[in-house]
Amino acid sequence: MQDIEKFISGFGRFQQQYFNNSESPYGTLRTGQRPGTLLIGCCDSRVDPVLLTGSDPGDIFVVRNIANLVPPCTPTASAGVSSAIEFAVCELEVERVIVLGHAGCGGIRALMAPRPAQRETDFVGQWMRIAEPVAQRVRRDLAHRGSAEQHHACELASILLSLDNLLTYPWLKRRVDEGKLKLHGWYFDLQSGALMAYSPRRQQFLPLVCPLTAREALTA
């Protein structure tokens, strides 16, 4: 019950902030939404895209699933994720798509170290098969490395897989080719607090926001 009470109190604070203010964004949001960004993130409770980006209501259209995966465009693709992407790109006409991965992803852990199914269903295992090609490549190329390094490599590679899979949707690729849509791959290192972004030119993830310790050293 403490959680429920916390949620209700939290909604009260939200109500006061956004509905007791003549300049609240809900003045215009009541009639519709026009977010400029679609963010595809993980369900992990530690990785809230709105909190991490300091966004206001209406800023980002968020799709969350285990391991921030995008299924390829096939007749059997997950309708939930694919329909949300379709709506954001075709109806809302967002200008950018960000795939946000993170350190310590439980979905990637389940992919890299699968266990026998212990329940009547294995929805997690079925979903994570989207990233199985990435896991196989990491196991092959980093067979001489420890599990932690393999896990990290798979987290990064799965972001790139999702970016590639986005381009299998014809209506999305058209907007990219026309210069109307940009794709970004981000990685939140929740151990250091850093934010990394994939650089196609450098073909690696580079710091977008450095850890606080590194930033403090630069300004000292």
Side-chain angles (χ1 to χ4, degrees), residues 16-88:
Q16 287 294 319
Q17 179 178 355
Y18 288 104
F19 284 83
N20 193 28
N21 185 342
S22 60
E23 298 180 359
S24 166
Y26 277 95
T28 55
L29 290 176
R30 289 187 180 95
T31 59
Q33 60 171 328
R34 296 303 302 174
T37 298
L38 162 63
L39 191 147
I40 302 169
C42 184
C43 293
D44 194 301
S45 61
R46 302 166 295 177
V47 189
D48 184 336
V50 175
L51 181 65
L52 292 180
T53 60
S55 294
D56 288 321
D59 285 349
I60 55 176
F61 188 85
V62 179
V63 178
R64 299 179 71 173
N65 63 66
I66 292 179
N68 43 268
L69 295 178
V70 174
C73 184
T74 65
T76 58
S78 167
V81 174
S82 300
S83 64
I85 295 171
E86 182 180 70
F87 183 78

Side-chain angles (χ1 to χ4, degrees), residues 3 20 29 80 126 129 144 150 185 192 212:
D3 282 347
N20 193 28
L29 290 176
Q126 293 174 34
R129 289 192 191 110
H144 57 297
Q150 290 185 15
S192 69
L212 283 175

